[in-house]
């Protein structure tokens, strides 16, 4: 059931593949009884650290369901004769067999078990912690103070409602945590990336980094495609240095802050704060639904560069229409 990102989605962030429709088409063409639908790609990654074992995992599911007219030893021997990642492929096959018997237990081991959705308070806490790591405690406090003000205003209108607060908590966070050069550096150097590489590969690993704007600015003007340059393992040191300088973000000393993209990001935050302040000042039960839609518009801003610019234009147009009414 895994939906792989398509190249077309890079050019059109609004493009969404309807997985339910795809599954419905499959179900209409196969025998329903005994059919198994599994996110084998994520299962393989969660269980074995590599998505490449998805196919052999699915083979294990089919075998356990009695759909492969061979004995286990025959399949095991075939894997051994093939000689590629023998132990891992046999393990993936066995995990597939287990999934066919108890999918919930295997999903839990893979870290894919369904969990209860976070409460609004929990979401705010998670995002606050993220903003502390993203910039600092003062930056996170800017977020929590703004959300708290929104909550107080909404509670005055409807004590049982938190939809506007939720919309602001989600969308204001998105704008504050825009992925810029410093955030890219932080994500590469916070230890999680290196742990993932360690989990996926054994032995000495040599990494190469494909870097585009704005670190190494080689954008093809008037196009949606960006040229990138490749740098060797030494570039991790550059990321570490850049991460240590994230305190420059938002100051005149930030060398990246003068680019069109970063100016646009700052303006998005400022515009959102001003718009929400106006919404809160005039908030009533009658315009609450419109306020929620306006506060949710940043969710439609996606992509980078020219693609992001187009999505901003669409969101701004919709905002103008809603405010006019």
């Amino acid at each position: 059931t895994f939906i792989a990102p398509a190249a077309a989605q890079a050019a059109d962030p609004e493009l969404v593949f309807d997985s339910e429709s795809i599954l419905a088409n499959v179900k209409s063409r196969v025998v329903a009884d005994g059919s198994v639908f599994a996110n084998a790609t994520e299962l393989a990654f969660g269980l074995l650290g590599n998505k490449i074992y998805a196919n052999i995992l699915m083979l294990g599911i089919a075998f356990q369901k009695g759909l492969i007219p061979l004995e286990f030893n025959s399949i095991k021997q075939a894997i051994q004769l093939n000689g590629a990642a023998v132990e891992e492929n046999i393990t993936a096959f066995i995990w597939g067999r287990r999934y066919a018997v108890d999918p919930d237990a295997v999903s839990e081991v893979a870290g894919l078990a369904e969990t209860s959705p976070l409460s609004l308070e929990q979401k705010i806490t998670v995002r606050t912690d993220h903003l502390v790591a993203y910039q600092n405690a003062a930056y996170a406090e800017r977020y929590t103070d703004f959300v708290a003000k929104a909550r107080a205003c909404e509670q005055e209108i409807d004590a049982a409602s938190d939809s506007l607060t939720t919309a602001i908590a989600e969308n204001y966070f998105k704008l504050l945590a825009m992925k810029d050069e410093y955030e890219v550096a932080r994500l590469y150097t916070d230890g999680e990336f290196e742990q993932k590489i360690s989990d996926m590969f054994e032995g000495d690993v040599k990494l190469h980094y494909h870097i585009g704007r704005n670190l190494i600015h080689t954008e093809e003007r008037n196009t949606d495609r960006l040229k990138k340059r490749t740098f060797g393992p030494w570039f991790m040191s550059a990321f570490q240095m850049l991460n240590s300088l994230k305190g420059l973000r938002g100051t005149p000393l930030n060398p990246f802050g003068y680019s069109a993209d970063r100016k646009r990001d700052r303006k998005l935050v400022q515009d959102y704060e001003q718009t929400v302040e106006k919404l809160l000042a005039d908030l009533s039960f009658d315009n609450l639904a419109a306020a929620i839609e306006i506060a949710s518009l940043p969710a439609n801003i996606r992509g980078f560069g020219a693609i992001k610019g187009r999505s901003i234009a669409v969101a701004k147009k919709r905002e103008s229409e809603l405010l006019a009414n």
Side-chain angles (χ1 to χ4, degrees), residues 147-193:
V147 173
K149 180 177 180 180
R151 170 174 273 181
C153 291
E154 183 175 19
Q155 292 288 299
E156 289 182 8
I157 302 302
D158 185 351
S161 175
D162 64 5
S163 297
L164 178 60
T165 305
T166 299
I168 294 172
E170 293 175 352
N171 290 273
Y172 187 46
F173 167 79
K174 176 180 178 177
L175 296 177
L176 287 175
M178 285 290 187
K179 188 180 287 186
D180 61 5
E181 296 76 17
Y182 299 107
E183 179 65 355
V184 171
R186 185 186 74 83
L187 293 174
Y188 270 115
T189 58
D190 67 357
E192 186 174 338
F193 170 72

mmCIF file of all heavy atoms in Angstrom, residues 147-193:
data_model
loop_
_atom_site.group_PDB
_atom_site.id
_atom_site.type_symbol
_atom_site.label_atom_id
_atom_site.label_comp_id
_atom_site.label_asym_id
_atom_site.label_seq_id
_atom_site.Cartn_x
_atom_site.Cartn_y
_atom_site.Cartn_z
ATOM 1 N N VAL A 147 -0.141 31.357 20.308
ATOM 2 C CA VAL A 147 -1.177 30.325 20.355
ATOM 3 C C VAL A 147 -2.052 30.508 21.592
ATOM 4 O O VAL A 147 -3.279 30.350 21.533
ATOM 5 C CB VAL A 147 -0.539 28.920 20.339
ATOM 6 C CG1 VAL A 147 -1.596 27.844 20.556
ATOM 7 C CG2 VAL A 147 0.179 28.684 19.015
ATOM 8 N N ALA A 148 -1.446 30.866 22.718
ATOM 9 C CA ALA A 148 -2.212 31.073 23.949
ATOM 10 C C ALA A 148 -3.193 32.234 23.794
ATOM 11 O O ALA A 148 -4.333 32.169 24.288
ATOM 12 C CB ALA A 148 -1.262 31.342 25.115
ATOM 13 N N LYS A 149 -2.766 33.285 23.125
ATOM 14 C CA LYS A 149 -3.654 34.431 22.886
ATOM 15 C C LYS A 149 -4.840 34.013 22.018
ATOM 16 O O LYS A 149 -5.982 34.396 22.289
ATOM 17 C CB LYS A 149 -2.879 35.556 22.205
ATOM 18 C CG LYS A 149 -3.733 36.780 21.938
ATOM 19 C CD LYS A 149 -2.914 37.907 21.321
ATOM 20 C CE LYS A 149 -3.788 39.130 21.068
ATOM 21 N NZ LYS A 149 -3.024 40.255 20.475
ATOM 22 N N ALA A 150 -4.559 33.201 20.982
ATOM 23 C CA ALA A 150 -5.633 32.712 20.112
ATOM 24 C C ALA A 150 -6.619 31.851 20.888
ATOM 25 O O ALA A 150 -7.841 31.971 20.718
ATOM 26 C CB ALA A 150 -5.031 31.917 18.950
ATOM 27 N N ARG A 151 -6.094 31.012 21.745
ATOM 28 C CA ARG A 151 -6.962 30.125 22.536
ATOM 29 C C ARG A 151 -7.870 30.939 23.455
ATOM 30 O O ARG A 151 -9.070 30.650 23.589
ATOM 31 C CB ARG A 151 -6.119 29.149 23.351
ATOM 32 C CG ARG A 151 -6.924 28.357 24.365
ATOM 33 C CD ARG A 151 -6.082 27.307 25.060
ATOM 34 N NE ARG A 151 -6.061 26.076 24.297
ATOM 35 C CZ ARG A 151 -5.410 24.980 24.671
ATOM 36 N NH1 ARG A 151 -4.704 24.980 25.781
ATOM 37 N NH2 ARG A 151 -5.452 23.892 23.934
ATOM 38 N N ALA A 152 -7.325 31.952 24.078
ATOM 39 C CA ALA A 152 -8.126 32.779 24.988
ATOM 40 C C ALA A 152 -9.263 33.472 24.238
ATOM 41 O O ALA A 152 -10.398 33.538 24.729
ATOM 42 C CB ALA A 152 -7.224 33.811 25.664
ATOM 43 N N CYS A 153 -8.962 33.971 23.045
ATOM 44 C CA CYS A 153 -9.997 34.644 22.246
ATOM 45 C C CYS A 153 -11.074 33.663 21.797
ATOM 46 O O CYS A 153 -12.270 33.985 21.829
ATOM 47 C CB CYS A 153 -9.363 35.313 21.027
ATOM 48 S SG CYS A 153 -8.323 36.740 21.418
ATOM 49 N N GLU A 154 -10.648 32.477 21.391
ATOM 50 C CA GLU A 154 -11.622 31.490 20.930
ATOM 51 C C GLU A 154 -12.496 31.020 22.082
ATOM 52 O O GLU A 154 -13.706 30.814 21.910
ATOM 53 C CB GLU A 154 -10.906 30.306 20.287
ATOM 54 C CG GLU A 154 -11.866 29.266 19.709
ATOM 55 C CD GLU A 154 -11.162 28.140 18.970
ATOM 56 O OE1 GLU A 154 -9.941 27.948 19.193
ATOM 57 O OE2 GLU A 154 -11.828 27.440 18.174
ATOM 58 N N GLN A 155 -11.912 30.857 23.244
ATOM 59 C CA GLN A 155 -12.673 30.406 24.398
ATOM 60 C C GLN A 155 -13.750 31.417 24.792
ATOM 61 O O GLN A 155 -14.814 31.046 25.293
ATOM 62 C CB GLN A 155 -11.736 30.169 25.580
ATOM 63 C CG GLN A 155 -10.783 28.987 25.387
ATOM 64 C CD GLN A 155 -11.490 27.650 25.471
ATOM 65 O OE1 GLN A 155 -12.062 27.303 26.480
ATOM 66 N NE2 GLN A 155 -11.441 26.895 24.366
ATOM 67 N N GLU A 156 -13.481 32.695 24.562
ATOM 68 C CA GLU A 156 -14.483 33.712 24.867
ATOM 69 C C GLU A 156 -15.698 33.578 23.958
ATOM 70 O O GLU A 156 -16.822 33.861 24.363
ATOM 71 C CB GLU A 156 -13.872 35.107 24.705
ATOM 72 C CG GLU A 156 -12.861 35.471 25.780
ATOM 73 C CD GLU A 156 -12.325 36.878 25.595
ATOM 74 O OE1 GLU A 156 -12.861 37.599 24.712
ATOM 75 O OE2 GLU A 156 -11.388 37.262 26.306
ATOM 76 N N ILE A 157 -15.456 33.133 22.717
ATOM 77 C CA ILE A 157 -16.540 32.986 21.745
ATOM 78 C C ILE A 157 -17.294 31.682 21.965
ATOM 79 O O ILE A 157 -18.525 31.643 21.951
ATOM 80 C CB ILE A 157 -15.989 33.037 20.308
ATOM 81 C CG1 ILE A 157 -15.253 34.350 20.061
ATOM 82 C CG2 ILE A 157 -17.101 32.831 19.281
ATOM 83 C CD1 ILE A 157 -16.097 35.583 20.269
ATOM 84 N N ASP A 158 -16.528 30.597 22.164
ATOM 85 C CA ASP A 158 -17.126 29.273 22.333
ATOM 86 C C ASP A 158 -16.206 28.450 23.215
ATOM 87 O O ASP A 158 -15.147 28.000 22.766
ATOM 88 C CB ASP A 158 -17.322 28.602 20.967
ATOM 89 C CG ASP A 158 -18.050 27.265 21.074
ATOM 90 O OD1 ASP A 158 -18.245 26.771 22.198
ATOM 91 O OD2 ASP A 158 -18.412 26.704 20.026
ATOM 92 N N ALA A 159 -16.587 28.244 24.437
ATOM 93 C CA ALA A 159 -15.740 27.541 25.404
ATOM 94 C C ALA A 159 -15.460 26.100 25.002
ATOM 95 O O ALA A 159 -14.484 25.499 25.462
ATOM 96 C CB ALA A 159 -16.396 27.578 26.780
ATOM 97 N N ALA A 160 -16.309 25.531 24.131
ATOM 98 C CA ALA A 160 -16.151 24.134 23.732
ATOM 99 C C ALA A 160 -15.330 23.979 22.464
ATOM 100 O O ALA A 160 -15.042 22.855 22.039
ATOM 101 C CB ALA A 160 -17.518 23.489 23.533
ATOM 102 N N SER A 161 -14.934 25.077 21.856
ATOM 103 C CA SER A 161 -14.231 25.013 20.570
ATOM 104 C C SER A 161 -12.726 25.200 20.732
ATOM 105 O O SER A 161 -12.276 26.024 21.542
ATOM 106 C CB SER A 161 -14.783 26.095 19.626
ATOM 107 O OG SER A 161 -14.039 26.129 18.431
ATOM 108 N N ASP A 162 -11.964 24.425 19.975
ATOM 109 C CA ASP A 162 -10.525 24.644 19.904
ATOM 110 C C ASP A 162 -10.030 24.524 18.455
ATOM 111 O O ASP A 162 -8.831 24.400 18.205
ATOM 112 C CB ASP A 162 -9.763 23.671 20.808
ATOM 113 C CG ASP A 162 -9.933 22.215 20.386
ATOM 114 O OD1 ASP A 162 -10.564 21.940 19.343
ATOM 115 O OD2 ASP A 162 -9.418 21.330 21.106
ATOM 116 N N SER A 163 -10.955 24.566 17.497
ATOM 117 C CA SER A 163 -10.597 24.384 16.083
ATOM 118 C C SER A 163 -9.720 25.516 15.571
ATOM 119 O O SER A 163 -8.770 25.286 14.807
ATOM 120 C CB SER A 163 -11.861 24.283 15.228
ATOM 121 O OG SER A 163 -12.615 23.145 15.583
ATOM 122 N N LEU A 164 -10.014 26.749 15.959
ATOM 123 C CA LEU A 164 -9.196 27.874 15.519
ATOM 124 C C LEU A 164 -7.813 27.804 16.153
ATOM 125 O O LEU A 164 -6.800 28.024 15.473
ATOM 126 C CB LEU A 164 -9.877 29.199 15.881
ATOM 127 C CG LEU A 164 -9.088 30.458 15.510
ATOM 128 C CD1 LEU A 164 -8.833 30.519 14.016
ATOM 129 C CD2 LEU A 164 -9.833 31.711 15.982
ATOM 130 N N THR A 165 -7.774 27.488 17.431
ATOM 131 C CA THR A 165 -6.488 27.352 18.116
ATOM 132 C C THR A 165 -5.650 26.258 17.466
ATOM 133 O O THR A 165 -4.440 26.429 17.268
ATOM 134 C CB THR A 165 -6.697 27.019 19.604
ATOM 135 O OG1 THR A 165 -7.546 27.999 20.192
ATOM 136 C CG2 THR A 165 -5.379 26.978 20.344
ATOM 137 N N THR A 166 -6.285 25.147 17.122
ATOM 138 C CA THR A 166 -5.578 24.046 16.467
ATOM 139 C C THR A 166 -5.016 24.489 15.119
ATOM 140 O O THR A 166 -3.866 24.183 14.786
ATOM 141 C CB THR A 166 -6.527 22.848 16.262
ATOM 142 O OG1 THR A 166 -6.978 22.391 17.534
ATOM 143 C CG2 THR A 166 -5.826 21.715 15.536
ATOM 144 N N ALA A 167 -5.832 25.199 14.340
ATOM 145 C CA ALA A 167 -5.385 25.676 13.025
ATOM 146 C C ALA A 167 -4.191 26.606 13.157
ATOM 147 O O ALA A 167 -3.215 26.501 12.401
ATOM 148 C CB ALA A 167 -6.535 26.385 12.316
ATOM 149 N N ILE A 168 -4.247 27.507 14.127
ATOM 150 C CA ILE A 168 -3.138 28.443 14.334
ATOM 151 C C ILE A 168 -1.911 27.725 14.859
ATOM 152 O O ILE A 168 -0.777 27.986 14.423
ATOM 153 C CB ILE A 168 -3.574 29.571 15.293
ATOM 154 C CG1 ILE A 168 -4.655 30.427 14.623
ATOM 155 C CG2 ILE A 168 -2.377 30.434 15.704
ATOM 156 C CD1 ILE A 168 -5.305 31.440 15.538
ATOM 157 N N ALA A 169 -2.102 26.794 15.790
ATOM 158 C CA ALA A 169 -0.965 26.028 16.344
ATOM 159 C C ALA A 169 -0.228 25.270 15.252
ATOM 160 O O ALA A 169 1.007 25.167 15.273
ATOM 161 C CB ALA A 169 -1.462 25.067 17.416
ATOM 162 N N GLU A 170 -0.970 24.743 14.285
ATOM 163 C CA GLU A 170 -0.351 23.969 13.209
ATOM 164 C C GLU A 170 0.292 24.868 12.159
ATOM 165 O O GLU A 170 1.441 24.643 11.739
ATOM 166 C CB GLU A 170 -1.403 23.071 12.553
ATOM 167 C CG GLU A 170 -1.918 21.960 13.463
ATOM 168 C CD GLU A 170 -3.044 21.163 12.826
ATOM 169 O OE1 GLU A 170 -3.529 21.570 11.741
ATOM 170 O OE2 GLU A 170 -3.445 20.141 13.415
ATOM 171 N N ASN A 171 -0.431 25.877 11.729
ATOM 172 C CA ASN A 171 0.028 26.677 10.596
ATOM 173 C C ASN A 171 1.056 27.734 10.977
ATOM 174 O O ASN A 171 1.976 28.021 10.191
ATOM 175 C CB ASN A 171 -1.173 27.309 9.903
ATOM 176 C CG ASN A 171 -2.013 26.284 9.169
ATOM 177 O OD1 ASN A 171 -1.752 25.958 8.025
ATOM 178 N ND2 ASN A 171 -3.021 25.741 9.846
ATOM 179 N N TYR A 172 0.931 28.310 12.155
ATOM 180 C CA TYR A 172 1.945 29.260 12.619
ATOM 181 C C TYR A 172 3.273 28.539 12.831
ATOM 182 O O TYR A 172 4.333 29.052 12.476
ATOM 183 C CB TYR A 172 1.465 29.925 13.902
ATOM 184 C CG TYR A 172 2.333 31.049 14.404
ATOM 185 C CD1 TYR A 172 2.807 32.034 13.549
ATOM 186 C CD2 TYR A 172 2.667 31.140 15.755
ATOM 187 C CE1 TYR A 172 3.601 33.076 14.012
ATOM 188 C CE2 TYR A 172 3.447 32.180 16.232
ATOM 189 C CZ TYR A 172 3.917 33.143 15.352
ATOM 190 O OH TYR A 172 4.704 34.177 15.821
ATOM 191 N N PHE A 173 3.189 27.331 13.370
ATOM 192 C CA PHE A 173 4.398 26.529 13.540
ATOM 193 C C PHE A 173 5.061 26.268 12.190
ATOM 194 O O PHE A 173 6.289 26.377 12.053
ATOM 195 C CB PHE A 173 4.066 25.200 14.218
ATOM 196 C CG PHE A 173 5.191 24.198 14.160
ATOM 197 C CD1 PHE A 173 6.267 24.288 15.027
ATOM 198 C CD2 PHE A 173 5.177 23.171 13.218
ATOM 199 C CE1 PHE A 173 7.319 23.378 14.967
ATOM 200 C CE2 PHE A 173 6.218 22.256 13.154
ATOM 201 C CZ PHE A 173 7.288 22.366 14.030
ATOM 202 N N LYS A 174 4.264 25.916 11.190
ATOM 203 C CA LYS A 174 4.825 25.621 9.872
ATOM 204 C C LYS A 174 5.610 26.812 9.340
ATOM 205 O O LYS A 174 6.707 26.647 8.782
ATOM 206 C CB LYS A 174 3.701 25.248 8.904
ATOM 207 C CG LYS A 174 4.193 25.011 7.488
ATOM 208 C CD LYS A 174 3.082 24.638 6.538
ATOM 209 C CE LYS A 174 3.631 24.449 5.123
ATOM 210 N NZ LYS A 174 2.610 24.017 4.158
ATOM 211 N N LEU A 175 5.061 28.002 9.498
ATOM 212 C CA LEU A 175 5.733 29.192 8.992
ATOM 213 C C LEU A 175 6.990 29.520 9.788
ATOM 214 O O LEU A 175 8.006 29.948 9.228
ATOM 215 C CB LEU A 175 4.775 30.384 9.020
ATOM 216 C CG LEU A 175 3.544 30.266 8.107
ATOM 217 C CD1 LEU A 175 2.646 31.482 8.278
ATOM 218 C CD2 LEU A 175 3.952 30.093 6.659
ATOM 219 N N LEU A 176 6.930 29.326 11.099
ATOM 220 C CA LEU A 176 8.105 29.603 11.940
ATOM 221 C C LEU A 176 9.235 28.613 11.703
ATOM 222 O O LEU A 176 10.409 28.947 11.879
ATOM 223 C CB LEU A 176 7.699 29.568 13.421
ATOM 224 C CG LEU A 176 6.867 30.731 13.952
ATOM 225 C CD1 LEU A 176 6.460 30.452 15.387
ATOM 226 C CD2 LEU A 176 7.632 32.046 13.855
ATOM 227 N N ALA A 177 8.881 27.387 11.318
ATOM 228 C CA ALA A 177 9.884 26.324 11.181
ATOM 229 C C ALA A 177 10.221 26.032 9.725
ATOM 230 O O ALA A 177 10.557 24.905 9.374
ATOM 231 C CB ALA A 177 9.380 25.050 11.867
ATOM 232 N N MET A 178 10.136 27.050 8.861
ATOM 233 C CA MET A 178 10.480 26.864 7.454
ATOM 234 C C MET A 178 11.889 26.284 7.328
ATOM 235 O O MET A 178 12.807 26.702 8.039
ATOM 236 C CB MET A 178 10.410 28.200 6.713
ATOM 237 C CG MET A 178 8.989 28.673 6.442
ATOM 238 S SD MET A 178 8.166 27.657 5.196
ATOM 239 C CE MET A 178 6.646 28.600 4.983
ATOM 240 N N LYS A 179 12.054 25.351 6.428
ATOM 241 C CA LYS A 179 13.348 24.689 6.277
ATOM 242 C C LYS A 179 14.303 25.593 5.497
ATOM 243 O O LYS A 179 14.234 25.699 4.271
ATOM 244 C CB LYS A 179 13.184 23.343 5.562
ATOM 245 C CG LYS A 179 14.478 22.529 5.545
ATOM 246 C CD LYS A 179 14.297 21.201 4.840
ATOM 247 C CE LYS A 179 13.488 20.243 5.669
ATOM 248 N NZ LYS A 179 13.426 18.897 5.052
ATOM 249 N N ASP A 180 15.188 26.241 6.216
ATOM 250 C CA ASP A 180 16.192 27.084 5.584
ATOM 251 C C ASP A 180 17.558 26.414 5.667
ATOM 252 O O ASP A 180 17.665 25.233 6.003
ATOM 253 C CB ASP A 180 16.219 28.467 6.233
ATOM 254 C CG ASP A 180 16.574 28.410 7.723
ATOM 255 O OD1 ASP A 180 16.902 27.306 8.232
ATOM 256 O OD2 ASP A 180 16.523 29.458 8.400
ATOM 257 N N GLU A 181 18.608 27.161 5.350
ATOM 258 C CA GLU A 181 19.954 26.580 5.302
ATOM 259 C C GLU A 181 20.393 26.050 6.669
ATOM 260 O O GLU A 181 20.998 24.972 6.778
ATOM 261 C CB GLU A 181 20.959 27.635 4.817
ATOM 262 C CG GLU A 181 20.717 28.118 3.407
ATOM 263 C CD GLU A 181 19.549 29.095 3.277
ATOM 264 O OE1 GLU A 181 19.118 29.667 4.311
ATOM 265 O OE2 GLU A 181 19.075 29.281 2.143
ATOM 266 N N TYR A 182 20.087 26.787 7.728
ATOM 267 C CA TYR A 182 20.486 26.370 9.071
ATOM 268 C C TYR A 182 19.728 25.113 9.511
ATOM 269 O O TYR A 182 20.286 24.247 10.183
ATOM 270 C CB TYR A 182 20.244 27.504 10.068
ATOM 271 C CG TYR A 182 21.037 28.743 9.760
ATOM 272 C CD1 TYR A 182 20.411 29.876 9.239
ATOM 273 C CD2 TYR A 182 22.415 28.797 9.973
ATOM 274 C CE1 TYR A 182 21.129 31.026 8.938
ATOM 275 C CE2 TYR A 182 23.148 29.938 9.680
ATOM 276 C CZ TYR A 182 22.499 31.050 9.160
ATOM 277 O OH TYR A 182 23.220 32.179 8.854
ATOM 278 N N GLU A 183 18.465 25.013 9.128
ATOM 279 C CA GLU A 183 17.679 23.846 9.518
ATOM 280 C C GLU A 183 18.160 22.606 8.785
ATOM 281 O O GLU A 183 18.201 21.513 9.364
ATOM 282 C CB GLU A 183 16.196 24.099 9.243
ATOM 283 C CG GLU A 183 15.274 22.939 9.593
ATOM 284 C CD GLU A 183 15.229 22.602 11.071
ATOM 285 O OE1 GLU A 183 15.994 23.199 11.864
ATOM 286 O OE2 GLU A 183 14.421 21.727 11.450
ATOM 287 N N VAL A 184 18.528 22.740 7.523
ATOM 288 C CA VAL A 184 19.098 21.611 6.791
ATOM 289 C C VAL A 184 20.363 21.121 7.503
ATOM 290 O O VAL A 184 20.555 19.922 7.711
ATOM 291 C CB VAL A 184 19.425 22.008 5.337
ATOM 292 C CG1 VAL A 184 20.229 20.900 4.641
ATOM 293 C CG2 VAL A 184 18.144 22.269 4.563
ATOM 294 N N ALA A 185 21.200 22.069 7.909
ATOM 295 C CA ALA A 185 22.433 21.707 8.614
ATOM 296 C C ALA A 185 22.126 21.021 9.940
ATOM 297 O O ALA A 185 22.775 20.038 10.318
ATOM 298 C CB ALA A 185 23.273 22.955 8.850
ATOM 299 N N ARG A 186 21.129 21.521 10.666
ATOM 300 C CA ARG A 186 20.771 20.912 11.957
ATOM 301 C C ARG A 186 20.293 19.482 11.781
ATOM 302 O O ARG A 186 20.663 18.587 12.554
ATOM 303 C CB ARG A 186 19.698 21.748 12.654
ATOM 304 C CG ARG A 186 19.350 21.254 14.053
ATOM 305 C CD ARG A 186 18.184 22.013 14.648
ATOM 306 N NE ARG A 186 16.915 21.650 14.049
ATOM 307 C CZ ARG A 186 16.195 20.580 14.418
ATOM 308 N NH1 ARG A 186 16.639 19.763 15.359
ATOM 309 N NH2 ARG A 186 15.046 20.326 13.835
ATOM 310 N N LEU A 187 19.458 19.256 10.773
ATOM 311 C CA LEU A 187 18.904 17.925 10.550
ATOM 312 C C LEU A 187 19.984 16.917 10.153
ATOM 313 O O LEU A 187 19.857 15.733 10.445
ATOM 314 C CB LEU A 187 17.816 17.988 9.472
ATOM 315 C CG LEU A 187 16.556 18.764 9.867
ATOM 316 C CD1 LEU A 187 15.613 18.888 8.678
ATOM 317 C CD2 LEU A 187 15.853 18.088 11.035
ATOM 318 N N TYR A 188 21.026 17.381 9.505
ATOM 319 C CA TYR A 188 22.115 16.479 9.146
ATOM 320 C C TYR A 188 23.043 16.193 10.337
ATOM 321 O O TYR A 188 23.727 15.167 10.360
ATOM 322 C CB TYR A 188 22.953 17.077 8.012
ATOM 323 C CG TYR A 188 22.472 16.696 6.633
ATOM 324 C CD1 TYR A 188 21.976 17.649 5.751
ATOM 325 C CD2 TYR A 188 22.521 15.371 6.200
ATOM 326 C CE1 TYR A 188 21.528 17.306 4.484
ATOM 327 C CE2 TYR A 188 22.087 15.015 4.935
ATOM 328 C CZ TYR A 188 21.590 15.988 4.082
ATOM 329 O OH TYR A 188 21.151 15.639 2.831
ATOM 330 N N THR A 189 23.068 17.105 11.308
ATOM 331 C CA THR A 189 24.072 16.984 12.363
ATOM 332 C C THR A 189 23.504 16.657 13.742
ATOM 333 O O THR A 189 24.268 16.584 14.704
ATOM 334 C CB THR A 189 24.878 18.300 12.480
ATOM 335 O OG1 THR A 189 23.984 19.392 12.756
ATOM 336 C CG2 THR A 189 25.628 18.601 11.189
ATOM 337 N N ASP A 190 22.195 16.442 13.845
ATOM 338 C CA ASP A 190 21.622 16.203 15.180
ATOM 339 C C ASP A 190 21.771 14.754 15.639
ATOM 340 O O ASP A 190 21.306 14.385 16.720
ATOM 341 C CB ASP A 190 20.151 16.613 15.219
ATOM 342 C CG ASP A 190 19.263 15.738 14.343
ATOM 343 O OD1 ASP A 190 19.784 14.845 13.657
ATOM 344 O OD2 ASP A 190 18.032 15.955 14.344
ATOM 345 N N GLY A 191 22.410 13.917 14.830
ATOM 346 C CA GLY A 191 22.660 12.532 15.203
ATOM 347 C C GLY A 191 21.672 11.549 14.610
ATOM 348 O O GLY A 191 22.015 10.376 14.398
ATOM 349 N N GLU A 192 20.464 11.988 14.310
ATOM 350 C CA GLU A 192 19.445 11.076 13.791
ATOM 351 C C GLU A 192 19.781 10.596 12.386
ATOM 352 O O GLU A 192 19.601 9.427 12.057
ATOM 353 C CB GLU A 192 18.078 11.774 13.793
ATOM 354 C CG GLU A 192 16.937 10.851 13.413
ATOM 355 C CD GLU A 192 15.572 11.498 13.562
ATOM 356 O OE1 GLU A 192 15.469 12.482 14.329
ATOM 357 O OE2 GLU A 192 14.623 11.041 12.907
ATOM 358 N N PHE A 193 20.291 11.494 11.562
ATOM 359 C CA PHE A 193 20.669 11.122 10.196
ATOM 360 C C PHE A 193 21.774 10.072 10.204
ATOM 361 O O PHE A 193 21.696 9.045 9.515
ATOM 362 C CB PHE A 193 21.118 12.360 9.424
ATOM 363 C CG PHE A 193 21.740 12.060 8.086
ATOM 364 C CD1 PHE A 193 20.957 11.615 7.033
ATOM 365 C CD2 PHE A 193 23.105 12.209 7.894
ATOM 366 C CE1 PHE A 193 21.538 11.331 5.796
ATOM 367 C CE2 PHE A 193 23.686 11.929 6.664
ATOM 368 C CZ PHE A 193 22.899 11.490 5.611
#
